[in-house]
Amino acid sequence: MQAYFVGVVPPPVTGMTSVTKAVLERLETGLPIRRHAVSRPGWASNRVWSVYKHVALLRQCVSAALRMGRGDVVYCAMNADIGLYGDWAIASAARLRGARLIVHHHSFSYITDPDARVARFLRIAGPNVVHVMLCHGMRRRFSERYGPVQAIIVGNDAWTKAAIPVADTPRGTLRTVGFLSNITREKGIDTALACFRALSAAGRDLNFVIAGPAASAEIKRELDAFVAEDPGRRRLAGPVYGAAKTSFFEEIDALVFPTRYRVEADPLVVHESVSRGVPVLATPRGCLPERIGVAEHIGPDDPSFADWAAQKLAAWHTDPDAYRQASAEVLRHISDRDREAERECQAFLDLFRPDALGAERLPLAAPKSPG
């Protein structure tokens, strides 16, 4: 049996590419893997990279297709939009050559909005495919949209937890609130700023740190104006990676994540936060409710989130015992989650055994029309 890997790895560094790289590294520790990986060249602008990526992936799909044979296993990270045409190619080759296909989903884009290309992919791939979903909610919603599939659950944190040890003790007091993401309106920066301003207006003695790259000059001006209102308590950290990200999480005591991004899936930043005992207040998008694990930390998916989060943070600021309890709750969840994530990771690796039965066997039906 030969195993094949088809996917995008850093650069660029995104949640999806970071997880895909971690999957590849884990597979390479125990299997002979034929890499068909794509990365962004240093010379490629954002616009050029978008085109280059899809062309390069299609080329890698064709290259893998020419080599695979019966009994082989092929791993690919599912794309969205135009990238699905390359996925058609790998699905066609795997089915024609009798190889098993493992498809790793990273996006809610084709779950939130139906995509006929995904339904076509399922018809092309046939029954000899296992889908890797990020959480139970993703599997349920995918099946509701396109029909039952063979699937296992493997959260993104299954691949990163070894690098992020769980804190031994809960946080003690709430002094600093943070926001970390690509800074866009879809990621909720306007909601976060409204929450922070409401806390300041209420006289709360809190600091605020905003980290991540600003998506536009307009948003950067809004951030600068926010900091200028009270520069002693407000700070822009900019993009943070490595040690700078660790310092960010050491500085903050709570993270506000009011995303309304329609394709939000399983952001690693949430796992990084709760592992350190830093509670996350978030909207119920994607896999966030399962990853955060505390129902009271999931707020409304509308503009009222700002007031809801401000009230929650104010209560924690007033009552340190309540805050410590909130920190302890997320640490209990992440400790339980770590054991579950290890089982998920092993179930994924078992798919590459020659005798693997694959996933939980659901009754298969013809894929639904996504209309």
Side-chain angles (χ1 to χ4, degrees):
M1 183 199 80
Q2 177 64 57
Y4 294 82
F5 169 96
V6 182
V8 180
V9 297
V13 178
T14 66
M16 178 177 175
T17 62
S18 297
V19 168
T20 305
K21 178 186 177 184
V23 170
L24 175 59
E25 290 173 346
R26 186 69 177 266
L27 290 174
E28 287 182 325
T29 62
L31 286 172
I33 293 286
R34 285 187 174 164
R35 282 176 171 237
H36 294 271
V38 173
S39 296
R40 178 175 178 167
W43 50 263
S45 65
N46 288 341
R47 183 173 296 180
V48 170
W49 165 238
S50 179
V51 176
Y52 176 94
K53 175 178 67 174
H54 295 304
V55 172
L57 270 176
L58 182 57
R59 236 173 63 187
Q60 293 294 343
C61 288
V62 172
S63 175
L66 293 175
R67 290 172 171 82
M68 71 180 68
R70 183 166 298 279
D72 289 345
V73 59
V74 183
Y75 168 91
C76 71
M78 188 84 165
N79 291 285
D81 303 320
I82 192 172
L84 283 162
Y85 296 117
D87 295 336
W88 287 5
I90 202 72
S92 299
R95 188 169 189 180
L96 288 171
R97 293 180 174 269
R100 290 186 292 119
L101 184 60
I102 298 172
V103 180
H104 201 160
H105 296 266
H106 289 276
S107 174
F108 271 75
S109 64
Y110 43 79
I111 299 175
T112 303
D113 299 317
D115 191 327
R117 292 168 295 191
V118 175
R120 174 65 61 87
F121 171 87
L122 295 173
R123 288 192 290 271
I124 292 171
N128 201 19
V129 56
V130 175
H131 297 263
V132 180
M133 302 289 185
L134 302 180
C135 61
H136 296 277
M138 177 183 249
R139 180 174 64 180
R140 173 181 53 77
R141 291 176 59 187
F142 185 91
S143 296
E144 289 170 353
R145 177 71 75 189
Y146 297 106
V149 294
Q150 299 177 59
I152 64 170
I153 308 299
V154 187
N156 281 342
D157 56 338
W159 308 107
T160 60
K161 66 185 184 63
I164 308 171
V166 177
D168 294 328
T169 57
R171 298 292 180 103
T173 56
L174 178 66
R175 298 178 300 269
T176 301
V177 183
F179 174 94
L180 171 58
S181 182
N182 290 319
I183 304 178
T184 65
R185 301 196 195 290
E186 289 78 13
K187 285 287 191 173
I189 185 57
D190 50 342
T191 305
L193 294 182
C195 170
F196 298 164
R197 284 189 168 110
L199 287 164
S200 295
R204 293 292 167 181
D205 183 19
L206 290 168
N207 301 313
F208 305 101
V209 183
I210 298 170
S216 68
E218 179 186 2
I219 286 177
K220 181 60 166 62
R221 287 193 295 271
E222 292 179 15
L223 296 175
D224 288 339
F226 172 75
V227 171
E229 292 169 7
D230 191 354
R233 296 184 180 278
R234 303 175 183 181
R235 185 170 71 85
L236 299 182
V240 291
Y241 303 102
K245 184 186 280 190
T246 299
S247 296
F248 170 82
F249 282 115
E250 289 174 349
E251 181 179 3
I252 69 169
D253 305 299
L255 183 74
V256 173
F257 200 79
T259 179
R260 53 181 180 270
Y261 189 39
R262 70 180 185 85
V263 301
E264 194 71 70
D266 190 10
L268 291 174
V269 65
V270 170
H271 173 62
E272 294 176 87
S273 185
V274 297
S275 294
R276 293 172 169 91
V278 176
V280 180
L281 300 180
T283 51
R285 298 272 173 151
C287 297
L288 286 169
E290 291 178 51
R291 200 60 63 236
I292 291 171
V294 181
E296 291 77 14
H297 297 181
I298 302 299
D301 194 7
D302 58 48
S304 68
F305 181 97
D307 289 337
W308 171 85
Q311 291 172 14
K312 180 75 71 175
L313 292 165
W316 287 346
H317 186 236
T318 300
D319 185 351
D321 287 339
Y323 171 73
R324 280 192 291 272
Q325 181 179 347
S327 179
E329 283 180 321
V330 299
L331 287 176
R332 279 194 296 272
H333 166 71
I334 201 62
S335 295
D336 292 341
R337 172 63 199 154
D338 267 8
R339 291 187 287 272
E340 183 182 3
E342 186 58 42
R343 290 192 294 270
E344 291 175 358
C345 189
Q346 188 56 55
F348 173 86
L349 296 173
D350 287 346
L351 295 177
F352 290 82
R353 298 196 325 263
D355 60 341
L357 293 175
E360 174 185 335
R361 294 286 178 172
L362 298 177
L364 296 180
K368 294 179 182 178
S369 165

